Amino acid sequence: MPKERKKRGRREEKKRKREEENLASATSKRQKSEDTDHVEIIGDGDEIQESGIYGANTEPAEIPFYGLLDEDEQEYFKKADSMLELNQFADVEERSLFLNSVYKEASGKELKIANSQSCSRLMERLITMSTPSQLKALFQKLSGHFLHLAQHRFASHCCETLFLQSAPVVTQELLAPLEEQQQTATDGEVYVSMENLFLYALNELEGNLGYLMTDPFASHTLRVLLLVLSGQPLADPNTTTLIQSKKKENVAMVSRNSGESETKRESRTVPESFHAAVERMISGTLAGLDTTYLRALTTHPVANPVLQLLLELELSSSGKQKAKESNSLFRKLIPKDSSEDDSSSSFINGLAYDTVGSRLLEVIIKSAPGKTFKMLYVRLFREKLGTMAKNDVAGFIVIKVLERLNKEDLRSAMEQINPQIGLLVERSRTSIIRTLVESCRTRGAGVQLVADELVQAYGMDAVQRLTRMLRLDTSKTDGIAEDRKKQIEKQDSGKVHGSLLAQSMLATPGVLRELITDGLLEMDTATLVVVAKDRTASRMLQCSLACSDQTLKFRRVLIQRFFGHIADLSTDAIGSHVVDEFWPASNGLTFIRERIAVELLENEVLVRDSFPGRAVWRNWKMDVYKTKKRDWILRAKETDGQAKTGIEAARERFAVATRVKKKVGARAKKPVQTGANDIAVATVDS
């Protein structure tokens, strides 16, 4: 009998012993987890060790193996994926026929495709292009396997896409129910509504929600399902960060409906069964979890976003009264007597300085009932706002607190934050200053002290102050490619926050607005052109022109500074938006509009040769200026700054024609005076 081939040497001997020890320890851990029936929490929440079963939330069985695609199938699906990505079909009908053929080829292989690393992208694209009937058919094929698919690295993305694309179908069926004859499938199968399909998927996950909440892949699927059942907007920027991670691969998708993206930004109408399902999910997730374990989950990087979404849904769907119930998530995290509980105080203080837990604390501050927030503010935040503002993590908590303070508390908070403004500017933490300015404007509090601190922080010179705030130093990006320059500017978050601070100051009448407008008026023309072409600073320039109560003198002086550079700005991708803003900003200044139009016409070839220039040419109606200059001037003289639409002009012409026709008709009905009677009378008298 041949002997086993072994590598000689001490290193191989140590490696073999180490592998045997790891295998033995893994086996013992697995046996221990099967025998125990409790949860052991070690540490302060950074590391949560789960052993066994907790409450009604059981750990699912091992994920089954659904098989692999053969080489020919993989080659076919890869080619289909590339064709769908290119989307170079002649028309919608051709694409529909191609989708039908792909679905026919994928019949019976859906589970294999969803679990395939290379072909799961194809299923995501198929889902985005599918019709409601195709979505239902795929939903039914995957039913019964969602518990395992949600935990898979690649199949979980397919589940998320399927839930997101199927959500609008539920609203469509609810608002416009299908007729009885249309509720039978063509192949004789029983009709199943999309509402029932979602409820079936939820039934598969129930009993394992507590475990899935901490699963790195199933957690995202669980968040998407919660979002769909709650009826909240699917494409809201505030919730997008909750349902997907920053590492998620952005697969290029082509939607079958052009208006679908707009629909996803709006709240949806969902059936009553979905609201009951959300409450059942919240109670099922919290089943068997006490305050200690929930507080440990608040610092868990995977479970924390789920807790944020659960807390928002609990307080929004059931109202603030839900927070008073002892079994609610809010009350489990913050007990009713937490004002006198040192453990609750230390827990909230810990969350404020934790990179993960602070996200949940933001939701608590934002959604907490008024009395609870007041209690938390007085006990934990009122005397610490200045210290917390200096911290990179706790500063976000200060922002949420400032948004909820009344006028009196806001003045007290201003006294603590004002001495830190210089340090905040140095660290580019201007978002706290911006929130303070916006809150003062909303509450009607004075901002003179904030303005004084900003002058000391940015400098006394108006031009240098604004230049430093906008970070207009272009030496780092000179000579760099445009795409690389865009990437560098995107990474510089301090520049964006500086522009947002300047825009907030412009929206606040008084001394804060004057700090920005004085800098713009004192800038030389070359610097103003740089501002107009800068990706972030140009937003501030447009905001200064668009302020509804901005003085006419400021707009007249500022726009005239750009004379001679209109063509250059029109051909720039960023500067063209500033030229577009010149039209509404020059309302009541007809001579300025004519001067800009003349400059555009003199450089017609240069302007119309670029894509941004053609947009400016179209927005300024320069074709009308060339052919019907008198009509263009009449439009430019309109005081409201808005041109009449075609239908409005047609209605006006119709009204004028109707009035003229009435006058002509009245004139025709009048008897014609021929003078014959006067002649007859004269004859008789004679």
Side-chain angles (χ1 to χ4, degrees):
M1 182 176 179
K3 295 183 179 180
E4 179 185 1
R5 292 187 62 183
K6 296 183 179 180
K7 293 184 179 181
R8 295 183 298 175
R10 289 176 295 176
R11 293 183 179 177
E12 292 299 327
E13 184 69 21
K14 291 181 179 180
K15 181 178 179 181
R16 186 164 54 253
K17 288 183 178 180
R18 188 163 55 250
E19 290 177 353
E20 292 176 357
E21 291 176 357
N22 293 337
L23 181 61
S25 62
T27 305
S28 62
K29 288 182 179 179
R30 191 179 300 112
Q31 292 176 354
K32 182 178 180 181
S33 64
E34 294 174 354
D35 295 337
T36 57
D37 192 21
H38 66 279
V39 176
E40 181 182 2
I41 302 175
I42 299 178
D44 57 352
D46 294 335
E47 296 181 359
I48 301 177
Q49 297 184 1
E50 302 172 3
S51 56
I53 305 170
Y54 41 91
N57 300 307
T58 59
E59 182 177 354
E62 186 178 355
I63 300 177
F65 178 67
Y66 294 107
L68 299 174
L69 298 170
D70 57 36
E71 294 183 1
D72 295 337
E73 292 172 342
Q74 287 187 7
E75 187 68 22
Y76 172 80
F77 289 128
K78 285 181 180 179
K79 289 182 179 180
D81 184 28
S82 61
M83 292 185 65
L84 290 176
E85 183 179 7
L86 295 174
N87 194 31
Q88 296 178 349
F89 300 100
D91 50 18
V92 179
E93 184 178 359
E94 182 181 349
R95 188 178 69 178
S96 178
L97 292 175
F98 181 76
L99 288 175
N100 291 334
S101 63
V102 175
Y103 264 113
K104 186 177 180 180
E105 183 67 26
S107 180
K109 309 181 186 73
E110 292 84 0
L111 295 173
K112 294 181 181 179
I113 297 174
N115 286 270
S116 173
Q117 179 179 4
S118 58
C119 299
S120 61
R121 299 180 184 85
L122 168 66
M123 178 163 286
E124 291 187 63
R125 289 196 176 92
L126 279 176
I127 292 171
T128 57
M129 300 180 183
S130 298
T131 61
S133 58
Q134 291 172 337
L135 289 175
K136 284 186 179 181
L138 181 60
F139 217 123
Q140 295 182 35
K141 294 287 184 64
L142 301 183
S143 291
H145 305 277
F146 281 116
L147 179 60
H148 303 302
L149 294 177
Q151 301 175 70
H152 195 271
R153 183 182 186 89
F154 309 114
S156 60
H157 296 285
C158 298
C159 295
E160 296 173 29
T161 308
L162 180 61
F163 291 161
L164 290 173
Q165 295 297 321
S166 302
V169 181
V170 177
T171 305
Q172 295 173 9
E173 293 180 350
L174 189 63
L175 299 179
L178 299 176
E179 298 183 4
E180 293 295 334
Q181 61 269 20
Q182 296 178 347
Q183 293 187 358
T184 304
T186 55
D187 54 357
E189 295 181 359
V190 179
Y191 170 82
V192 181
S193 64
M194 189 64 76
E195 174 188 353
N196 290 332
L197 290 175
F198 270 108
L199 295 178
Y200 294 156
L202 177 59
N203 289 336
E204 294 183 40
L205 304 180
E206 281 186 338
N208 303 279
L209 297 176
Y211 173 80
L212 298 177
M213 183 170 60
T214 58
D215 186 86
F217 307 119
S219 172
H220 297 87
T221 308
L222 189 61
R223 300 173 212 170
V224 172
L225 186 58
L226 275 168
L227 198 66
V228 170
L229 295 177
S230 64
Q232 291 191 355
L234 302 175
D236 188 4
N238 297 326
T239 56
T240 302
T241 55
L242 289 178
I243 62 177
Q244 66 181 26
S245 64
K246 296 180 180 179
K247 299 180 180 179
K248 180 178 175 62
E249 180 182 358
N250 293 322
V251 180
M253 301 294 179
V254 180
S255 176
R256 75 175 186 277
N257 188 2
S258 57
E260 188 175 352
S261 58
E262 294 294 333
T263 306
K264 289 184 177 181
R265 294 190 183 96
E266 303 173 355
S267 298
R268 296 168 291 105
T269 303
V270 295
E272 291 296 330
S273 58
F274 278 18
H275 295 297
V278 171
E279 294 181 1
R280 198 165 66 247
M281 288 185 70
I282 295 175
S283 60
T285 306
L286 302 179
L289 303 183
D290 56 0
T291 299
T292 305
Y293 190 83
L294 278 175
R295 288 182 175 180
L297 288 178
T298 56
T299 55
H300 194 282
V302 178
N304 181 275
V306 183
L307 289 178
Q308 294 181 49
L309 193 55
L310 289 174
L311 192 58
E312 287 185 1
L313 295 178
E314 182 183 74
L315 296 178
S316 62
S317 61
S318 303
K320 302 292 185 181
Q321 298 296 327
K322 184 68 176 178
K324 298 180 181 180
E325 299 180 6
S326 58
N327 59 344
S328 65
L329 173 60
F330 183 83
R331 194 51 69 192
K332 283 189 174 182
L333 290 173
I334 305 177
K336 192 173 183 179
D337 56 348
S338 58
S339 59
E340 301 177 357
D341 187 6
D342 293 336
S343 62
S344 298
S345 301
S346 60
F347 163 68
I348 296 175
N349 285 328
L351 289 183
Y353 293 92
D354 188 85
T355 54
V356 178
S358 60
R359 305 281 184 139
L360 184 64
L361 185 55
E362 291 181 39
V363 177
I364 292 175
I365 294 173
K366 177 184 176 182
S367 306
K371 292 183 179 179
T372 305
F373 168 75
K374 187 70 174 179
M375 178 268 297
L376 294 175
Y377 171 71
V378 172
R379 179 173 174 81
L380 301 175
F381 302 128
R382 184 167 60 181
E383 306 297 334
K384 302 178 182 179
L385 288 179
T387 305
M388 294 174 64
K390 295 186 294 184
N391 187 270
D392 293 343
V393 178
F396 294 100
I397 306 301
V398 176
I399 292 175
K400 293 300 179 181
V401 171
L402 291 174
E403 291 175 352
R404 292 202 63 175
L405 293 181
N406 54 35
K407 188 174 181 179
E408 291 73 17
D409 292 334
L410 188 61
R411 289 174 178 171
S412 175
M414 193 188 307
E415 295 177 357
Q416 299 185 52
I417 297 177
N418 277 346
Q420 312 299 334
I421 287 181
L423 182 61
L424 294 175
V425 170
E426 184 180 350
R427 296 181 178 180
S428 300
R429 304 291 302 173
T430 56
S431 55
I432 298 177
I433 308 173
R434 175 170 57 89
T435 306
L436 181 61
V437 170
E438 293 175 351
S439 299
C440 290
R441 182 176 68 248
T442 304
R443 303 290 188 268
V447 293
Q448 182 63 48
L449 296 178
V450 179
D452 296 339
E453 293 293 338
L454 287 173
V455 169
Q456 293 182 7
Y458 284 108
M460 300 297 295
D461 185 74
V463 177
Q464 292 182 359
R465 180 172 60 239
L466 187 57
T467 303
R468 184 182 175 190
M469 185 181 297
L470 299 176
R471 292 192 177 187
L472 292 179
D473 184 15
T474 59
S475 58
K476 298 180 180 179
T477 57
D478 288 341
I480 300 180
E482 187 64 26
D483 53 348
R484 178 60 179 164
K485 185 186 298 184
K486 186 187 298 184
Q487 184 179 3
I488 294 175
E489 292 179 355
K490 187 177 181 180
Q491 294 175 352
D492 189 3
S493 59
K495 188 173 183 178
V496 177
H497 288 301
S499 177
L500 292 174
L501 174 60
Q503 296 175 45
S504 179
M505 293 170 65
L506 284 169
T508 307
V511 61
L512 288 177
R513 176 182 292 177
E514 293 175 358
L515 292 179
I516 305 299
T517 56
D518 292 347
L520 288 173
L521 293 177
E522 294 181 17
M523 273 186 180
D524 58 280
T525 304
T527 308
L528 283 175
V529 173
V530 172
V531 172
K533 292 183 177 182
D534 191 86
R535 194 173 304 276
T536 56
S538 62
R539 300 298 184 97
M540 180 275 305
L541 183 59
Q542 297 176 49
C543 183
S544 67
L545 296 170
C547 289
S548 58
D549 54 347
Q550 190 65 274
T551 60
L552 187 66
K553 179 181 178 181
F554 169 79
R555 290 185 280 121
R556 174 174 57 82
V557 174
L558 184 62
I559 295 176
Q560 286 180 325
R561 303 284 295 279
F562 290 94
F563 287 169
H565 302 274
I566 299 298
D568 182 27
L569 293 177
S570 300
T571 56
D572 186 77
I574 308 300
S576 59
H577 297 288
V578 178
V579 180
D580 290 338
E581 192 61 40
F582 285 163
W583 178 269
S586 59
N587 183 24
L589 302 171
T590 308
F591 72 97
I592 288 183
R593 290 180 174 179
E594 291 187 41
R595 176 67 177 80
I596 295 176
V598 169
E599 189 169 342
L600 288 173
L601 187 61
E602 291 175 352
N603 299 273
E604 178 181 1
V605 177
L606 177 64
V607 171
R608 302 187 72 169
D609 192 44
S610 64
F611 179 79
R614 288 193 293 270
V616 171
W617 187 272
R618 182 174 59 254
N619 294 335
W620 274 77
K621 301 291 188 296
M622 290 303 299
D623 289 330
V624 179
Y625 181 81
K626 286 180 60 178
T627 57
K628 299 178 181 179
K629 186 176 180 180
R630 184 177 179 181
D631 294 345
W632 188 93
I633 293 176
L634 289 175
R635 177 179 180 270
K637 288 182 178 180
E638 292 179 357
T639 56
D640 57 357
Q642 296 180 355
K644 295 179 181 178
T645 61
I647 188 65
E648 290 174 348
R651 286 172 179 170
E652 186 176 349
R653 290 194 299 269
F654 178 77
V656 173
T658 304
R659 287 196 299 270
V660 173
K661 197 177 293 184
K662 285 181 179 179
K663 289 181 180 179
V664 173
R667 224 179 261 165
K669 290 180 180 179
K670 244 179 174 186
V672 180
Q673 302 291 341
T674 59
N677 293 334
D678 297 336
I679 296 173
V681 171
T683 305
V684 172
D685 293 340
S686 62

